[in-house]
Amino acid sequence: MVLHPKAKVRVVGQEVTFCCKASGTPVPKKYYWYHNRTLLERKVHRYNSRLTLKGLAPEQAGTYHCKASTEAGAIKSAPAQLTVLAQGQQSCNPEPEPSFVELPSECPLDATGSRYYNVGRCPPAPCAGSPAERSGCGEEAGLCCGVRRMEMREIPCAGSLLPVKVVAECGCGPCARPRVLVQGRVTAADTGEPLRFGQIFLGGRKVGFTGYKGSFTIEVPSDTQRLVARFVDRQQRFVDTIKVLPFDRRGGAVYQEVKMLRKKEPVNLDSSQSNTIPLGEARGQEPIGELILPAGAFLRPTGEVFKGTVKASVTFLDPRDMATASAASSDLSFADADGEVVPLRTYGMFAVDFREEGSRAVLQTGPVEVRMDAGQVWMPEHLQKMKLWSLNPETGLWEEEGVLRPAKGSRGKREERTFLVGNLEIRERRLFNLDVPEDRRCFVKVRAYSNEKFNPYEQLEGVVISLINLEPQPGYPANPRAWGRFDSVVTGPNGACLPAFCDGQRPDAYSAYVTATLGGEELEAVASSPKLNPNAIGVSQPYLGKLGYRRSDHDDPNLKKTAFQINVAKPDPNNVDETNGPIYPYRSLEECEKAPVSANHLRFYRVEVDKYEYNVVPFKESDLTSWTGDYLSWWPNPQEFRACFIKVQIEGPQEYMVRSRNVGGSHPRTRGQLYGLRDTRSVRDMLLENTSGACVEFKCSGMLFDQSLVDRTLVSIIPQGSCRRTAVNSLLRDYLNRHPPVAENNHTAAFTMLAPVDPLGHNYGIYTVTDQNPRLAKEIAIGRCFDGTSDGFSREMKADTGTAVTFTCQERPAGRESFFQRLLTSPAEA
């Protein structure tokens, strides 16, 4: 499906047109349209690939999707929502929705004991088109609900007034169209070496190359529902890897690690002889099957039988090895006869590469036999459904090549095995799969939070949640014998729903291994030992016990805390304890996606090292549509985010909080006005005694949102202790002196500068990274800052490398306030 219908908002009496388009061989010419899953009559609506509805009535609201079909198969589009408003009904409520930000710690609690303040938000929902607007298949100009007016308020905080801008009114305006990107790194699954200058294809079109370190950026085309990318090693050391990459439709970048499987070393085969190649790589276990190539099976692309020596490389990805899941291609899905994309459960996939010795020309084959050991199929019901599949590199969908049927076979006098046997021809496609369709499916609800408080207002969006389906050994749920499939979903404002295999009769028939990453950073799962805490995990008893929740360090505290495993026990509809999540029946996807935050769900959280951020103009970095054009916006450009950090070395007996206070420095519209605050706790250097370092974010200097004048941000760096400034990086000091005006540094307990406009680098103790994703820009900058280099990355603090300013701190006498405390209580005097 190359064109999907789009969501529309219309007023009663208007008309609307939905469009879809499918590609394939033969070219699809039959289209069917459905309203709320009910087929619309072609004679009544006279549709083809377009569906036009005139004189809309309220009952025509709902979801619409199309299905294209040929004699070769069918495919469905994604559903599109049609909203039909009554005459005079507003599509954008002028009253803002609640949205809360946390105020700094020095601000008093409100009457309810909370330090959260409602700044309001406008949901970026589409607005109704005007009656004169043409309704066609092209890109509509598009109006969306957004901020129409903001108000400045001041909150009393510790002897001073904290400014905050709140949304006062919402209204319809042009839709924000942020770029949608997928970024990441491609590395070898076995050694971690990067794929340098590998080719990247979307469909059959080459769109770029990986970098020297394997990094890549893909801009997602506007109508994409399913992003299928193919990574090709030009040196042919790795199997071509086809990935269905998750992305955030609302904009910004999602980070993804891509693993490539190293090709098996080729062996020499005599094409005039029958040859058998084992399929199976799990150490100490029998092969899952074998590939039998009869004499004369190898062909040149012209159809001529090849006679000679064949260089044959057959690389098998063995699901009995848990480490192979990340290197598997596609997302193990196929399109059924109704055009619906449904999941497969794999028993192994293999990539073939046959070449002539000498010329290295690629060879094909005539009919060859695939034999699979039936003893390796542990679920008896799968024996009757096992099939051979090949991967379509453009759609990322597996397509049926043939059925595997039982046949007797022997390996020796004492050992007789039953094989499942199938046939295929190896032509253009080179990646094959031994799979069964699995209809025992559910959804798992997962949410990610910014910290361990699990506050509903602090959910993280843009987190990649990955779920690997495991098949446990009976009675040993923590010891799986194979993985079956995997899925990745990006969290939105209401979490994520991940598809998973499940079973209603045996709760432990399938288990799931779940992880979460944000910009390459692993999030932490909730602990399961020494005792389960249902309130922290997010699932009430007794269902939690049935799920058998275990964090990855449950038995060994030295292991990572970044994953959990559960039994995917299908909920019993007659048991009230199991009707409120976190597992939902497959047909209840909408219920899962719209579940309130109070419903059962599983959780990840970000481990913050005492970090706090405050923006005068609120902005949710995980939702780029929440950006507001304002002179006091921390990020002046929603298409490109520049993160700036300064490295502070602290010599003292403990770790200290360090604040950056950022105000307008040179722009006439913002001079002296606060942009925001950043608090960061210093991190101890494990190699230096009584020394820690802090990477503190500050607002970059540069153009403000109107792109007319540069503002040099006035940045004050203040450790929150009894500290005095003892050194300033000489290169940074010289740079600031050469680029006046120079900020006054007349108090030794702080460091103040008019931030440099140039990016500088580690030699100055300043770290600057620009990216289309604000969080990713910050993560990269922090990694460089910890490392003290301009191109490295570390999570271990090297406090004396690449430092901008040094403070010496000591325990202050009892009763004596620090400079930071005096700044809060008596700002004018301080």
Side-chain angles (χ1 to χ4, degrees):
M1 190 63 66
V2 296
L3 178 64
H4 295 261
K6 295 179 174 64
K8 304 284 178 78
V9 179
R10 293 291 186 267
V11 176
V12 167
Q14 288 184 338
E15 73 172 57
V16 68
T17 298
F18 290 110
C19 308
C20 75
K21 183 181 178 183
S23 64
T25 305
V27 176
K29 292 182 179 177
K30 278 190 176 180
Y31 288 87
Y32 304 88
W33 283 93
Y34 296 78
H35 175 219
N36 293 336
R37 294 178 172 265
T38 301
L39 179 65
L40 297 174
E41 288 189 42
R42 188 187 302 272
K43 290 181 180 178
V44 174
H45 296 281
R46 298 183 180 181
Y47 58 70
N48 44 37
S49 62
R50 291 185 177 209
L51 170 67
T52 299
L53 304 172
K54 298 184 177 181
L56 284 170
E59 59 269 20
Q60 290 177 285
T63 60
Y64 288 82
H65 77 267
C66 81
K67 181 175 80 172
S69 71
T70 68
E71 55 269 29
I75 190 70
K76 283 182 180 178
S77 73
Q81 183 72 33
L82 173 63
T83 303
V84 180
L85 304 173
Q87 291 289 346
Q89 182 182 351
Q90 292 180 317
S91 51
C92 178
N93 188 346
E95 188 71 26
E97 290 183 353
S99 180
F100 292 83
V101 297
E102 185 181 5
L103 299 176
S105 57
E106 62 266 23
C107 294
L109 302 176
D110 63 16
T112 64
S114 171
R115 196 171 276 119
Y116 285 85
Y117 191 82
N118 183 9
V119 294
R121 69 182 286 270
C122 302
C127 293
S130 68
E133 187 178 316
R134 286 194 63 207
S135 191
C137 289
E139 283 284 332
E140 294 190 8
L143 295 176
C144 292
C145 191
V147 176
R148 176 166 286 175
R149 184 168 57 88
M150 299 189 81
E151 291 178 352
M152 179 70 86
R153 296 183 187 166
E154 293 182 325
I155 304 166
C157 288
S160 62
L161 294 175
L162 180 75
V164 59
K165 284 208 165 184
V166 301
V167 178
E169 184 184 358
C170 301
C172 290
C175 295
R177 298 195 183 277
R179 295 169 70 195
V180 180
L181 302 168
V182 174
Q183 297 176 321
R185 204 161 61 103
V186 187
T187 56
D190 52 357
T191 64
E193 69 174 290
L195 175 67
R196 294 191 171 110
F197 312 119
Q199 296 173 314
I200 306 171
F201 293 84
L202 294 185
R205 183 171 58 94
K206 186 166 70 176
V207 295
F209 297 88
T210 60
Y212 181 76
K213 294 188 176 182
S215 58
F216 68 90
T217 298
I218 298 172
E219 183 155 4
V220 182
S222 61
D223 196 51
T224 302
Q225 295 289 329
R226 180 180 164 87
L227 181 65
V228 179
R230 179 161 58 103
F231 299 90
V232 177
D233 176 21
R234 293 189 293 175
Q235 298 179 36
Q236 292 297 304
R237 297 165 303 159
F238 303 106
V239 174
D240 289 3
T241 299
I242 296 160
K243 289 289 187 183
V244 180
L245 298 172
F247 60 95
D248 191 343
R249 289 182 174 82
R250 295 165 306 151
V254 168
Y255 186 86
Q256 191 79 5
E257 289 277 356
V258 175
K259 301 295 182 184
M260 294 191 81
L261 199 63
R262 192 177 298 276
K263 280 186 178 180
K264 194 146 179 116
E265 283 296 318
V267 296
N268 291 336
L269 302 180
D270 183 348
S271 66
S272 65
Q273 303 288 323
S274 178
N275 295 280
T276 300
I277 298 176
L279 301 175
E281 294 291 329
R283 190 175 298 171
Q285 298 191 52
E286 289 282 351
I288 280 177
E290 53 196 21
L291 180 65
I292 299 176
L293 302 143
F298 293 102
L299 308 172
R300 289 193 169 104
T302 58
E304 173 193 354
V305 175
F306 172 74
K307 297 176 181 178
T309 301
V310 178
K311 288 281 190 183
S313 170
V314 177
T315 307
F316 189 76
L317 187 139
D318 198 326
R320 296 173 299 178
D321 180 355
M322 298 301 140
T324 62
S326 61
S329 271
S330 179
D331 61 353
L332 291 166
S333 298
F334 77 104
D336 66 10
D338 292 325
E340 190 167 342
V341 176
V342 291
L344 292 166
R345 189 271 193 226
T346 188
Y347 279 88
M349 55 184 72
F350 58 97
V352 299
D353 187 14
F354 300 135
R355 295 177 184 267
E356 296 182 27
E357 187 182 38
S359 71
R360 306 290 293 171
V362 174
L363 293 171
Q364 301 177 354
T365 77
V368 300
E369 191 174 275
V370 178
R371 296 163 66 86
M372 181 180 180
D373 183 357
Q376 300 287 349
V377 182
W378 300 296
M379 292 188 174
E381 60 269 30
H382 287 175
L383 288 169
Q384 308 305 316
K385 301 192 292 183
M386 192 69 64
K387 295 181 179 181
L388 263 172
W389 309 78
S390 67
L391 183 61
N392 183 326
E394 296 194 10
T395 65
L397 295 172
W398 294 90
E399 297 176 2
E400 186 178 330
E401 288 280 345
V403 178
L404 291 170
R405 303 189 186 281
K408 286 288 184 181
S410 64
R411 295 189 63 202
K413 293 180 180 179
R414 297 185 180 179
E415 182 185 1
E416 178 129 343
R417 297 193 294 173
T418 300
F419 285 95
L420 300 175
V421 179
N423 294 285
L424 61 83
E425 294 184 7
I426 299 171
R427 302 293 185 183
E428 290 81 9
R429 294 190 185 173
R430 297 290 160 136
L431 191 57
F432 303 93
N433 209 340
L434 302 164
D435 278 21
V436 292
E438 179 60 278
D439 54 7
R440 294 175 292 178
R441 297 174 281 164
C442 291
F443 284 99
V444 180
K445 183 74 174 197
V446 182
R447 298 178 189 270
Y449 294 85
S450 61
N451 54 53
E452 250 183 310
K453 297 174 185 175
F454 305 120
N455 191 310
Y457 302 114
E458 295 184 300
Q459 290 190 65
L460 293 173
E461 301 173 43
V463 176
V464 179
I465 310 288
S466 297
L467 184 150
I468 301 174
N469 264 113
L470 305 176
E471 187 179 298
Q473 295 192 32
Y476 300 92
N479 188 16
R481 55 189 170 194
W483 61 267
R485 78 171 273 111
F486 51 88
D487 284 279
S488 294
V489 177
V490 177
T491 58
N494 201 34
C497 294
L498 289 102
F501 296 147
C502 60
D503 195 289
Q505 304 302 317
R506 290 193 299 127
D508 61 350
Y510 277 117
S511 62
Y513 182 84
V514 188
T515 59
T517 58
L518 178 64
E521 172 197 0
E522 294 178 303
L523 272 59
E524 200 161 293
V526 181
S528 59
S529 62
K531 185 180 178 182
L532 284 176
N533 181 348
N535 290 330
I537 294 169
V539 181
S540 58
Q541 292 285 23
Y543 199 17
L544 178 60
K546 188 175 179 180
L547 298 181
Y549 177 92
R550 297 164 63 92
R551 193 168 70 176
S552 44
D553 67 337
H554 185 86
D555 295 318
D556 185 353
N558 294 318
L559 294 178
K560 283 185 172 183
K561 305 173 182 179
T562 53
F564 65 79
Q565 191 170 322
I566 59 167
N567 299 324
V568 192
K570 187 174 182 178
D572 180 357
N574 299 315
N575 186 340
V576 68
D577 294 321
E578 300 180 12
T579 57
N580 194 33
I583 314 295
Y584 293 83
Y586 196 74
R587 293 295 178 191
S588 300
L589 173 59
E590 187 174 358
E591 182 186 346
C592 178
E593 290 180 333
K594 295 182 178 179
V597 74
S598 58
N600 285 337
H601 60 275
L602 296 155
R603 294 169 171 170
F604 285 94
Y605 63 93
R606 195 174 187 185
V607 180
E608 292 285 6
V609 188
D610 291 332
K611 187 183 291 184
Y612 172 74
E613 299 178 356
Y614 174 76
N615 298 326
V616 170
V617 179
F619 173 60
K620 205 170 185 179
E621 290 175 359
S622 59
D623 180 7
L624 301 191
T625 61
S626 69
W627 181 84
T628 305
D630 192 281
Y631 282 102
L632 294 176
S633 296
W634 184 275
W635 305 98
N637 182 353
Q639 300 289 344
E640 190 173 75
F641 297 89
R642 189 174 176 216
C644 295
F645 285 78
I646 183 170
K647 189 167 184 177
V648 180
Q649 179 178 342
I650 294 185
E651 296 170 347
Q654 60 187 41
E655 297 171 339
Y656 297 84
M657 292 295 290
V658 183
R659 168 168 289 184
S660 79
R661 190 171 189 275
N662 304 266
V663 302
S666 60
H667 196 288
R669 294 291 296 265
T670 63
R671 189 180 294 121
Q673 296 186 62
L674 184 69
Y675 290 117
L677 306 171
R678 297 292 187 268
D679 291 344
T680 304
R681 183 174 292 281
S682 64
V683 177
R684 191 166 297 284
D685 189 317
M686 304 309 292
L687 301 178
L688 298 175
E689 188 177 355
N690 289 335
T691 303
S692 61
C695 294
V696 188
E697 185 186 8
F698 64 89
K699 186 186 181 303
C700 305
S701 292
M703 293 285 188
L704 299 186
F705 92 100
D706 63 357
Q707 300 295 304
S708 63
L709 282 176
V710 167
D711 182 45
R712 294 275 304 276
T713 311
L714 182 62
V715 180
S716 298
I717 304 297
I718 314 157
Q720 300 181 22
S722 185
C723 306
R724 59 187 178 87
R725 188 180 70 250
T726 52
V728 176
N729 182 301
S730 59
L731 289 177
L732 177 60
R733 185 174 57 241
D734 291 346
Y735 175 92
L736 296 174
N737 287 334
R738 291 198 314 270
H739 295 81
V742 177
E744 291 184 6
N745 264 304
N746 58 5
H747 199 292
T748 59
F751 170 72
T752 304
M753 67 174 179
L754 282 163
V757 176
D758 300 311
L760 300 186
H762 69 283
N763 290 328
Y764 298 80
I766 303 294
Y767 300 85
T768 306
V769 172
T770 301
D771 196 271
Q772 287 82 9
N773 183 321
R775 286 182 317 218
L776 194 55
K778 287 158 70 165
E779 286 299 319
I780 296 170
I782 290 170
R784 293 176 181 176
C785 179
F786 268 60
D787 195 51
T789 63
S790 290
D791 58 358
F793 190 89
S794 176
R795 278 287 179 246
E796 293 184 6
M797 175 59 72
K798 302 172 185 176
D800 62 343
T801 305
T803 301
V805 59
T806 302
F807 289 89
T808 299
C809 302
Q810 60 188 16
E811 297 302 310
R812 66 181 177 276
R816 181 181 169 190
E817 286 186 325
S818 69
F819 172 70
F820 182 80
Q821 289 172 321
R822 281 181 282 149
L823 192 65
L824 297 180
T825 55
S826 308
E829 181 185 333

